[in-house]
Every structure is written in C-alpha cells, then in structure tokens.
Amino acid sequence: MTRRRCLVTGATGYLGGRLVPELLGAGHAVRCMARTPDRLRHRPWADRVETVRGDATDAASVGAALDGVEVAYYLIHAIGSGRDFEDTDRRAARIFGERARAAGVRRIVYLGGLTPVGVPERELSPHLRSRAEVGRILLGSGVPTAALRAAVIIGSGSASFEMLRQLTERLPVMTTPSWVRTRVQPVAVRDVLRVLVGCAALPDDVSRTFDLGGPDVVTYQDMMRRYARQAGLRRRLIVPVPVLTPSLSSHWVGLVTPVPSRTARPLVESLRHEVVCAERDIERYVPPPDGGFLDLDGALRAALRQVAGTAPPARPAPGDPQPGDPGWAGGSLYTDRRERAVDTSPAALWRVMEGIGGANGWYSAPLAWAARGWLDTLLGGVGLRRGRPAPGRLRVGDHLDFWRVEALERERLLRLRAEMRLPGLAWLELTVRQDEAGRTVYGQRALFQPRGLAGHAYWWAVWPFHAWVFGGMVRNITAAAARDDGRAPRGTGRPAPD
C-alpha cells in the first residue's frame, strides 16, 4: 500500500482513537487534530504521530491541520452537545470540505449512519438526518469522498454497544420500547477499521456513499439475547411496550445504565428505523479479510474480552477497552483500592505478602474468611480446604485456598484470581512500591467483574464489610511486615480515590 499523509479528526473519540494505530500499522504517516491535544498524551502511539490543536468550527485551525495532508478522516459529530447539534454538524462539515479543497487534499473519508431505504430524509431521526447531511456536504465539497454508512458498531466503548451491554447485563426481565423488533445489520469495529484504512487507497475517481454492515441481519431483541448467551447470562425475557416514546426510552436507558441520557436520546430516536445494507460495493475496493467479516456472535465475543486487573497489551485489539473510552464503557468492574506506607523494607513486606493464605490466614476477620469458605463448600466450590502448596516461595499457578496465583513479580506484584463460586470474576492484587520519599508502600486492590444482575447485587451486598475485611488486611499485613523488619508501621490504610 502506498504511504499516505493522513489527518484523523476525532482522535480522542471512540473510532478515531482506534483508527490511529491501524493507520500506523499500515505504514501511513498520521496527524491528529484535537481541541485538547493533552488528552492524547498518554496514548500508546502518542510519540509516533503529529498532534495539532484544532476546532472543527474554526476555519483557520482546520486549514492549518489539513496543510500537506493527502487523506483526511472526518470522524467528528456534535451528538450529545445540545439541541442545536444539527447546526453545529452542518457548519463544521462545510468548513472541513472547503478547507480540504483549498489545501489540495486528495480524499476525505467519512463515517456516518446507515439510513433506511425509501424513507425521506426529513422523516429520519435528528441524529441520522444530521449524519446523512454531513455526508452530502462532504460529497459536494469537490474533494473525492468516501461516505461510509454503518448501523450498530459492535465493540467495547461504542455507545450503541454499551447500551446493549448494560441493559442486557442488568435486567434479566425487560419491558422495552417496540423498537426492539426493528431489524438492523450490526458490524464489528474490527471490520469498520479495516475498511477505513483501505479507503486511503481508493481511486481518485471514486466519490460516493458505501453501506457497511456485517453478515447478520437481526432485531435488537435478537442482539440482546445473543449477547446474553455470549456473556454467559441466562436467557433474557423481553416484553415490548409500545407506549414508551423515544424521550421516555432515553431517560429509561439513562436510569438503568451509566450511558448519559444526552448520549442515549439521539441513538434511541434512531432505533425506530430499519437499517439494513442496500449494497456491499465497498468490498470491490477493500476486500474482506480471509473468512469474511465477523458475524454477530464473533463480534460480541471480541467485544466482551476484558483486561481486568491486568495491564493492557501494547496494541489492544480494536474491540477491547482502550484509553480514552468513556468512563461508562467497557462493562462494570468494581474496585476496592487501599494503600498504606510502612517503615520497613520492600523485602520484609514481600515476605509477609508471599506467606499469605493456608495456616497463616488472610490477616483479617478470620471468622468472615472461614464463613466464606464454608459457604463456598456448600455451593460446590473448593472452599478453604486446599490451603497452600508449601510454606516457601509461590509460583504462578499455585493455589491459595480458593484463590490461584495469576501473576507474580517478586517484591512488586502478587495477583490472585478467585476460584470460589461467584456471580462474576474476582481478583485480589497486592503490590509493593516505593514513593518519592523512599518509603515502602503496600497497595491492595480487590476487583470484581459482575455477571448479570446477581453479580451487581452480590457486590453491593458485601460492600459494607470491605472496611472490616480489606481494611483489616492492610493494617495487619503492614504491621506484620514492620515487626519482621523491627520497625513500626504508619499510614491510614483508607481506600484510595478511584
């Protein structure tokens, strides 16, 4: 593929932040335009791109950002910014098209929304109507434009997918608007990104819209049930209620899920339209990968991958949670985090941490740990009967009562994965570090990824006991380490702010 100089707008957003590493991986040079460039500073690829400050409604900054660019990706929109978002989208698109033509840009690539066949534009929801108008403005700019149109994008962090995820996980029984029976053609974010990258090499005489969708045409009801199956949840009972208006539906989504109502409302209003591809012409120019586009189940599996309690890989898969995703994206991961400074050596603290479990216990609330072990045994779990494999050094894979060692870095990290019966996944992470003053600091995180409504209920049922159990662990582990090293502990052991 010929190397292009590319501009990515919306690089702080969902798709833009995922597109940048894909373009870099294909050998392109990338410039990112952002209103707040500092938001890109900690991305893994930040030192490989040029970042410029720009506002899509400011012609001068847009013109400067487009200078010397061959391919410009337009991935910004004003959804959720207020009632006048259509005017803002219209003005920004006109400025971008005019400045791209003046700068000699060879191609614009835009991703909008798939619109229903045969429905007049004036009858579309405001969100879809605005996305269609932006595509029309860019196509009329005089710069060859690929205006891609996709329906629901399946990937962790996508607003549409997060609504699906949160509703399905939290509600085993749902009364829903009638739009759950609307047909839609979802597409995996992996495949959207592949097409976006491939559009950089489109012939100069190609300037048109392209429909973009996966191989499955389903209803939203089907998607919820298939999500539940892929997530290991029980089958969801869905009861459509026709009296729920888009306004009421968006407030309902905002109440049940962490997706803000201002984001949910324009998306919910669009769900009444059937959005199915009328053509697949883009495949003539950007061939699908071997095996074709991911089907819905494959896309859901990719989106469900979690990196809980672990550091993300250097280049996460497109469907994974990534830096810059909204705080409500990526599913629920509850955290109890505490730390305490102690006047002892890292080696002394590590000896206590590595000796945890078995006959040594868990350094807090022994009756509570014993009761949890008995309960786990009654439920058919392993309970506390396994103990420790040996009093000496631990290794990855060793069992510690109803935990298993998942990661171990001596004098730095001990992470345990729960093997008890739980409505979700749980980890306990113990760390050693030194602060700026050279003091040894003990860190402790309990993480829980709930499965369904039972998982959320479990976390909040045991949460009142965390100060007793986990707070006691912090105090007693650091005290034991100080005694081992002949010094007294200090610090509060209070929960650290998230």
Side-chain angles (χ1 to χ4, degrees):
M1 179 181 289
T2 304
R3 188 174 189 264
R4 306 286 190 189
R5 294 187 300 277
C6 301
L7 174 72
V8 177
T9 63
T12 58
Y14 171 70
L15 269 173
R18 286 163 168 77
L19 176 61
V20 170
E22 300 300 314
L23 289 170
L24 292 171
H28 298 300
V30 179
R31 176 186 296 164
C32 296
M33 186 184 88
R35 282 184 297 180
T36 311
D38 282 351
R39 291 177 59 190
L40 300 175
R41 185 172 51 184
H42 299 297
R43 300 295 179 96
W45 39 260
D47 59 350
R48 301 171 58 198
V49 304
E50 178 189 359
T51 303
V52 297
R53 188 183 304 275
D55 186 321
T57 58
D58 177 63
S61 65
V62 171
L66 287 165
D67 184 43
V69 166
E70 296 172 274
V71 180
Y73 287 90
Y74 192 81
L75 303 176
I76 52 181
H77 55 81
I79 185 173
S81 63
R83 294 183 178 180
D84 61 346
F85 76 89
E86 289 185 82
D87 291 335
T88 303
D89 275 343
R90 185 181 304 116
R91 186 169 72 255
R94 285 174 178 162
I95 289 172
F96 196 84
E98 291 167 0
R99 292 294 169 167
R101 182 175 182 179
V105 172
R106 295 180 58 180
R107 171 159 303 281
I108 295 172
V109 182
Y110 166 64
L111 181 66
L114 188 59
T115 54
V117 176
V119 177
E121 192 169 298
R122 65 180 180 277
E123 296 181 13
L124 297 176
S125 70
H127 168 59
L128 283 182
R129 185 170 62 234
S130 180
R131 303 306 291 271
E133 184 182 17
V134 167
R136 192 170 62 253
I137 291 170
L138 295 176
L139 284 164
S141 66
V143 178
T145 297
L148 304 171
R149 308 190 305 177
V152 174
I153 296 176
I154 303 295
S156 183
S158 159
S160 297
F161 173 74
E162 294 301 334
M163 283 169 44
L164 171 75
R165 181 209 298 266
Q166 299 287 353
L167 286 172
T168 309
E169 286 191 352
R170 293 172 182 236
L171 297 177
V173 179
M174 286 178 269
T175 55
T176 62
S178 57
W179 50 251
V180 295
R181 292 173 175 162
T182 302
R183 294 199 314 157
V184 64
Q185 193 163 353
V187 60
V189 64
R190 181 204 75 170
D191 296 322
V192 173
L193 293 171
R194 176 185 175 86
V195 172
L196 286 170
V197 173
C199 283
L202 287 176
D204 292 344
D205 61 349
V206 174
S207 187
R208 52 164 290 188
T209 62
F210 291 99
D211 290 356
L212 185 56
D216 294 325
V217 176
V218 296
T219 66
Y220 288 96
Q221 181 173 270
D222 293 334
M223 281 203 295
M224 290 177 178
R225 286 177 172 156
R226 288 168 72 169
Y227 176 93
R229 186 165 63 246
Q230 293 299 328
L233 304 172
R234 293 182 179 179
R235 181 180 173 86
R236 272 26 196 168
L237 178 60
I238 301 170
V239 183
V241 178
V243 296
L244 283 174
T245 66
S247 178
L248 288 174
S249 296
S250 63
H251 289 297
W252 173 69
V253 170
L255 177 67
V256 174
T257 80
V259 181
S261 294
R262 66 180 182 276
T263 299
R265 177 161 186 167
L267 296 175
V268 167
E269 289 175 336
S270 301
L271 299 182
R272 57 189 167 90
H273 299 298
E274 183 173 281
V275 281
V276 177
C277 294
E279 45 82 11
R280 303 189 68 90
D281 295 350
I282 191 62
E283 296 180 11
R284 300 207 315 258
Y285 302 98
V286 185
D290 292 341
F293 281 7
L294 282 178
D295 62 12
L296 177 58
D297 289 335
L300 289 170
R301 283 194 295 271
L304 279 165
R305 286 187 304 193
Q306 287 281 345
V307 189
T310 64
R315 185 180 174 188
D320 290 344
Q322 295 190 22
D325 285 352
W328 39 263
S332 301
L333 184 65
Y334 292 118
T335 305
D336 182 288
R337 182 171 58 187
R338 301 166 189 268
E339 63 178 29
R340 185 182 179 96
V342 56
D343 289 332
T344 190
S345 65
L349 179 56
W350 178 257
R351 282 195 293 272
V352 176
M353 289 164 51
E354 195 174 19
I356 204 166
N360 293 333
W362 293 89
Y363 287 87
S364 73
L367 288 178
W369 286 98
R372 187 63 184 87
W374 296 330
L375 177 62
D376 192 56
T377 303
L378 287 174
L379 294 174
V382 296
L384 297 175
R385 59 179 178 267
R386 296 190 306 192
R388 287 178 56 96
R393 287 191 163 192
L394 293 175
R395 296 183 178 87
V396 172
D398 282 348
H399 55 74
L400 287 176
D401 296 325
F402 42 43
W403 303 91
R404 190 168 297 275
V405 179
E406 183 177 82
L408 186 150
E409 299 175 32
R410 300 205 178 277
E411 297 191 17
R412 289 187 60 193
L413 166 72
L414 174 62
R415 185 167 59 247
L416 309 175
R417 184 185 71 252
E419 294 187 338
M420 65 191 82
R421 298 282 182 166
L422 287 169
L425 303 174
W427 293 262
L428 180 61
E429 186 176 86
L430 316 179
T431 59
V432 182
R433 67 177 179 88
Q434 289 188 297
D435 62 15
E436 297 80 359
R439 299 179 304 171
T440 300
V441 178
Y442 169 71
Q444 179 179 291
R445 287 200 308 166
L447 302 116
F448 183 66
Q449 180 184 322
R451 182 181 297 117
L453 184 61
H456 293 277
Y458 173 83
W459 173 265
W460 292 112
V462 300
W463 179 79
F465 303 100
H466 285 189
W468 177 38
V469 176
F470 294 129
M473 284 184 67
V474 172
R475 292 189 298 272
N476 294 329
I477 286 175
T478 53
R483 286 194 301 271
D484 183 57
D485 209 31
R487 285 181 260 181
R490 68 184 181 190
T492 65
R494 294 176 180 170
D498 286 331

